[in-house]
Amino acid sequence: MRKKKNRLQQLKQYNSTKLKDHYEFVKQQRNWFSLRTRLTLLVTAELLVSVTLAVGAATLLNRLFPNLQLPLLVELLAIALLIGGAVTAFLSKFFFDPIKRLREAMAQVAEGEFSVRLDPSSSFQEIREVYTGFNLMTHELSATEVLQTDFVSNVSHEFKTPISAIEGYATLLQGTENLDEDQQNYIDKILHNTRRLSNLTGNILLLSKIENQNIETHQTRYRLDEQIRQCIVDLEPAWSLKDTEFDVDLEGVEYLGNESLLRHVWENLIGNAVKFGPEGGLVTIGMKTEEEKIRITVEDEGTGFSEETQRHLFDKFYQGDSSHKQEGNGLGLALVSRILHLTGGTIAAENRPEGGAKFTVTLLK
């Protein structure tokens, strides 16, 4: 396994070295006709060709239509504008298409897609340099992302076993007799924090697995409404502690998908609705079928979220409400978003006019 990783690292280093060498080679190439020079020459040629063709066209029109009495200047301007416009449209496409391709590729990088590459084979030195530099940048970003993901996944995996051992021993101590109040509090805190760490490492490992998965696997047909009801029952310790009430209106729907993955979606959304809702609040859950789609909504009566929080709501480790940092790790909604992306579904979040948050999940039948 270690040899395989070393070989992969060598391959990445080799590719990076090749790209850097190619970039330096492209930069050292001399091109007497730069992009600026070519553009200047082409615009000058365009003016000359436009004027020449305009004069020829005006002379031809006068011969064909001798009774057409138009000033020569008007004829020249009209024809020159038509010809110049057509030539300019062609030249602008020729010059600005590479910039458009670069803009589209940069938009993909901004969305986290680091595998995008541009073809550097161009007749323009400047375009070759920019495209080669862009490819080098995306290669380095991709390598950094892989390294970071592997590191986080490996560290989380190594943490999981000792954390489980600590939790097990703390659970055994919890049932020990002759513990004073302070000792019992210490054990409770150890259990609380080890469970948080265990939940964090579990979410990181699951998220890492899903991010490296391109298709949905282990699909079965099951009752989606029953799954959501079961999630509500499983979360009873949380919502009974806050006296939360539920208003549930679910259509009976059979769904083909990964049952275990979608369970994480409902547990996170319903758990958040309970966590961020007030004491004795109401959580409203609905599900309806609309043509080829299934729409599920989860609403709470909490404080909602700010515009800044809404922009980063599905980012990893982001927590907009600092008052609940001890209860979560900022991975729940990122996990929900990735699972739904994998299944072909979507999720949207908004503030309710009457207060609170509303999450809408859309699945394809």
Side-chain angles (χ1 to χ4, degrees), residues 305-333:
F305 31 72
S306 64
E307 291 183 5
E308 177 68 17
T309 299
Q310 192 168 4
R311 282 195 294 269
H312 301 282
L313 205 55
F314 301 102
D315 293 350
K316 288 184 285 189
F317 299 107
Y318 182 81
Q319 289 180 283
D321 188 351
S322 58
S323 64
H324 291 274
K325 281 190 176 180
Q326 297 300 319
E327 303 173 32
N329 46 55
L331 281 177
L333 289 178

Side-chain angles (χ1 to χ4, degrees), residues 183-249:
Q183 290 172 333
Q184 186 63 49
N185 287 335
Y186 297 153
I187 294 173
D188 291 342
K189 288 180 180 179
I190 291 171
L191 276 173
H192 173 72
N193 286 287
T194 51
R195 283 166 183 165
R196 283 188 62 210
L197 282 172
S198 180
N199 184 50
L200 172 62
T201 54
N203 282 342
I204 289 175
L205 289 171
L206 179 59
L207 187 60
S208 176
K209 176 184 176 182
I210 294 172
E211 284 181 337
N212 291 288
Q213 188 175 338
N214 295 317
I215 59 172
E216 187 181 3
T217 56
H218 306 297
Q219 293 184 345
T220 56
R221 187 167 293 279
Y222 66 97
R223 284 285 297 272
L224 191 60
D225 54 315
E226 290 299 327
Q227 184 186 46
I228 295 174
R229 288 191 181 92
Q230 186 60 50
C231 289
I232 297 173
V233 173
D234 292 343
L235 291 168
E236 183 182 2
W239 54 259
S240 61
L241 192 64
K242 295 186 69 172
D243 295 325
T244 302
E245 295 184 357
F246 285 86
D247 180 8
V248 181
D249 181 15

Side-chain angles (χ1 to χ4, degrees), residues 20-246:
K20 289 177 181 176
D21 291 343
H22 182 64
Y23 181 59
E24 291 299 325
F25 172 75
V26 170
K27 285 175 65 178
Q28 291 171 5
Q29 284 183 316
R30 300 192 66 182
N31 191 341
W32 296 106
F33 292 98
S34 65
L35 188 61
R36 185 191 298 273
T37 304
R38 292 189 185 194
L39 183 61
T40 303
L41 291 174
L42 284 172
V43 169
T44 304
E46 176 194 355
L47 291 173
L48 292 173
V49 169
S50 298
V51 170
T52 302
L53 290 176
V55 171
T59 304
L60 182 62
L61 282 174
N62 287 330
R63 287 183 179 179
L64 293 175
F65 306 100
N67 296 326
L68 186 64
Q69 300 296 325
L70 286 175
L72 180 61
L73 182 61
V74 174
E75 292 180 352
L76 289 176
L77 283 175
I79 298 171
L81 284 173
L82 289 173
I83 297 173
V87 175
T88 302
F90 171 76
L91 290 179
S92 63
K93 186 178 187 314
F94 184 68
F95 275 95
F96 296 113
D97 268 8
I99 299 175
K100 180 182 176 182
R101 285 194 291 271
L102 178 62
R103 183 193 66 190
E104 292 171 350
M106 290 178 70
Q108 289 180 267
V109 172
E111 293 176 358
E113 179 57 56
F114 300 136
S115 61
V116 60
R117 298 291 185 270
L118 293 172
D119 183 9
S121 56
S122 172
S123 58
F124 298 126
Q125 169 75 9
E126 291 83 358
I127 298 299
R128 289 199 301 271
E129 285 185 13
V130 171
Y131 279 16
T132 305
F134 176 86
N135 291 340
L136 178 60
M137 177 192 72
T138 53
H139 173 81
E140 295 295 337
L141 287 173
S142 179
T144 302
E145 185 188 35
V146 169
L147 182 63
Q148 177 185 353
T149 303
D150 289 348
F151 173 78
V152 172
S153 179
N154 291 335
V155 169
S156 300
H157 189 271
E158 294 298 324
F159 276 180
K160 198 163 183 64
T161 301
I163 289 171
S164 299
I166 295 171
E167 183 179 352
Y169 288 127
T171 304
L172 290 174
L173 287 172
Q174 195 177 34
T176 306
E177 297 179 356
N178 303 323
L179 292 176
D180 59 37
E181 187 178 350
D182 287 340
Q183 290 172 333
Q184 186 63 49
N185 287 335
Y186 297 153
I187 294 173
D188 291 342
K189 288 180 180 179
I190 291 171
L191 276 173
H192 173 72
N193 286 287
T194 51
R195 283 166 183 165
R196 283 188 62 210
L197 282 172
S198 180
N199 184 50
L200 172 62
T201 54
N203 282 342
I204 289 175
L205 289 171
L206 179 59
L207 187 60
S208 176
K209 176 184 176 182
I210 294 172
E211 284 181 337
N212 291 288
Q213 188 175 338
N214 295 317
I215 59 172
E216 187 181 3
T217 56
H218 306 297
Q219 293 184 345
T220 56
R221 187 167 293 279
Y222 66 97
R223 284 285 297 272
L224 191 60
D225 54 315
E226 290 299 327
Q227 184 186 46
I228 295 174
R229 288 191 181 92
Q230 186 60 50
C231 289
I232 297 173
V233 173
D234 292 343
L235 291 168
E236 183 182 2
W239 54 259
S240 61
L241 192 64
K242 295 186 69 172
D243 295 325
T244 302
E245 295 184 357
F246 285 86

Side-chain angles (χ1 to χ4, degrees), residues 289-309:
T289 56
E290 302 175 0
E291 297 179 353
E292 297 300 316
K293 296 179 180 180
I294 307 168
R295 204 173 300 278
I296 303 99
T297 57
V298 180
E299 305 177 48
D300 63 62
E301 295 182 333
T303 57
F305 31 72
S306 64
E307 291 183 5
E308 177 68 17
T309 299

